[in-house]
Amino acid sequence: MSVPTVTLNDGHTIPQLGFGVFKVDPAETTRIVTDALEVGYRHIDTAAIYGNEEGVGRAIASSGIGRDDLFVTTKLWNDKHSTADAFDAFDESLEKLGLDFVDLYLIHWPSAANDRYVEAWKALEKIRESGRARSIGVSNFLVPHLTRLLAETDIVPVVDQIELHPALQQPETTAFARERGIQIEAWGPLGQGKYPLFEEEAVTAAAQAHGKSPAQTVIRWHLQMGNILFPKSNNRTRMAENFDVFDFALTTEEVDAISALERDGRVGTHPDEVN
Ligand SMILES: NC(=O)c1ccc[n+]([C@@H]2O[C@H](COP(=O)([O-])OP(=O)(O)OC[C@H]3O[C@@H](n4cnc5c(N)ncnc54)[C@H](OP(=O)(O)O)[C@@H]3O)[C@@H](O)[C@H]2O)c1
């Protein structure tokens, strides 16, 4: 079954399920992304800071998959928010990826203490105008950051990529973003394996009822909540497992029971602490 797409506020579409490469060893990235593309993923989420854009690019180049059948995201790092640095960093990312354009370019963190994310966004607006990033968005932006960006710049981000899983659903940010046409991308969708999400009764009961694994159940919860996600796995069997989620649906009661796992359970760093 094919992966559903989400239409962004600029008219472009994004596959709702992709593959993320945070902490994928640069030396292993080509093999791992090649596996992911063979499994069927067509949406890859990387970042300059991951140090593995070249490996992603090599896997894409050797895949034989048409460029228009792929969706590639990369991100601007925090120390590159000045206009000149943002342009240079973008050029470098494109070169490492070996691409003429990316589908989505994100500001990785607001890095609010540096107070340059508005400047960085204006650079991204120019990059979008050039056609070398088809869409632009943000990551780890909370309501105050989004509010300021919307007040001081012209283009509304297409997405906000934030930590989101059943234990941390960020209702304030997601509601604010969605009301303004900004789609939510969930990073750490499986809780990064850092807390025992897969042992929660709400997850195991639904998994058992559908003959699916806990990971598939959590991915299905995200899809039904309307989140865009790109779980990471180094393991081809788990990649395939995470992709095999389109032949069942959770009931409303199962979705609600998993949503009730909310407990402000952040596993990553708070955006205010990343600069
Ligand atoms: N914007 C940001 O600041 C930000 C921050 C973090 C992440 N991200 C993006 O979001 C993507 C996903 O988040 P993430 O990689 O941090 O965490 P994640 O996808 O929630 O979790 C990855 C962990 O779950 C394990 N796993 C994957 N599939 C599994 C399965 N079916 N059963 C059991 N364990 C499984 C993986 O181990 P194995 O590899 O051994 O399978 C890995 O340890 C990243 O790769 C990156 O693209 C963005």
Side-chain angles (χ1 to χ4, degrees):
M1 233 171 271
S2 65
V3 177
T5 55
V6 171
T7 301
L8 303 170
N9 66 27
D10 62 5
H12 291 297
T13 56
I14 182 171
Q16 194 181 359
L17 181 66
F19 184 76
V21 295
F22 178 46
K23 292 203 171 151
V24 172
D25 182 344
E28 296 284 312
T29 302
T30 302
R31 176 187 64 76
I32 288 170
V33 175
T34 298
D35 277 351
L37 294 171
E38 285 175 6
V39 163
Y41 292 92
R42 291 294 179 268
H43 164 187
I44 308 293
D45 183 272
T46 184
I49 198 70
Y50 301 168
N52 55 23
E53 288 168 312
E54 280 161 322
V56 171
R58 275 195 292 273
I60 289 172
S62 62
S63 71
I65 299 167
R67 180 66 187 89
D68 285 341
D69 294 326
L70 287 169
F71 193 102
V72 181
T73 300
T74 193
K75 315 185 190 87
L76 177 73
W77 190 238
N78 306 339
D79 60 355
K80 309 287 185 195
H81 281 190
S82 78
T83 308
D85 284 350
F87 288 149
D88 287 350
F90 180 74
D91 288 346
E92 201 177 311
S93 283
L94 264 195
E95 195 178 319
K96 285 184 173 164
L97 287 162
L99 298 176
D100 299 328
F101 69 92
V102 291
D103 296 276
L104 179 58
Y105 195 47
L106 304 181
I107 299 180
H108 204 144
W109 295 86
S111 190
N114 297 327
D115 199 22
R116 297 192 93 152
Y117 63 83
V118 171
E119 182 177 349
W121 185 252
K122 289 179 178 172
L124 264 62
E125 289 181 332
K126 292 267 184 294
I127 290 168
R128 196 192 81 161
E129 270 170 33
S130 77
R132 294 180 311 148
R134 291 206 166 156
S135 299
I136 54 174
V138 295
S139 178
N140 298 301
F141 275 45
L142 303 178
V143 170
H145 313 121
L146 290 173
T147 303
R148 181 162 169 217
L149 205 67
L150 294 174
E152 296 183 27
T153 66
D154 296 328
I155 298 179
V156 177
V158 296
V159 299
D160 189 5
Q161 181 179 126
I162 56 175
E163 181 184 338
L164 200 161
H165 42 77
L168 181 80
Q169 296 169 46
Q170 308 225 41
E172 199 194 347
T173 304
T174 56
F176 183 93
R178 287 189 168 126
E179 279 160 18
R180 287 155 184 82
I182 302 167
Q183 297 287 341
I184 294 296
E185 293 192 334
W187 70 249
L190 305 177
Q192 295 188 322
K194 288 183 188 165
Y195 95 104
L197 184 58
F198 298 159
E199 288 154 35
E200 294 286 359
E201 166 77 19
V203 174
T204 55
Q208 209 172 5
H210 294 279
K212 288 285 179 175
S213 72
Q216 289 170 322
T217 303
V218 172
I219 292 167
R220 193 66 221 176
W221 173 84
H222 279 284
L223 294 170
Q224 291 181 223
M225 294 294 286
N227 303 329
I228 298 161
L229 73 159
F230 21 81
K232 168 263 172 191
S233 180
N234 284 349
N235 175 288
R236 187 171 173 140
T237 303
R238 285 192 287 279
M239 285 176 203
E241 174 187 333
N242 296 347
F243 199 69
D244 179 20
V245 290
F246 299 106
D247 60 351
F248 77 113
L250 300 174
T251 64
T252 309
E253 292 73 23
E254 289 164 342
V255 168
D256 290 348
I258 296 172
S259 297
L261 297 173
E262 167 66 48
R263 54 179 161 183
D264 203 19
R266 196 177 287 279
V267 297
T269 316
H270 190 284
D272 288 345
E273 287 158 19
V274 180
N275 287 295

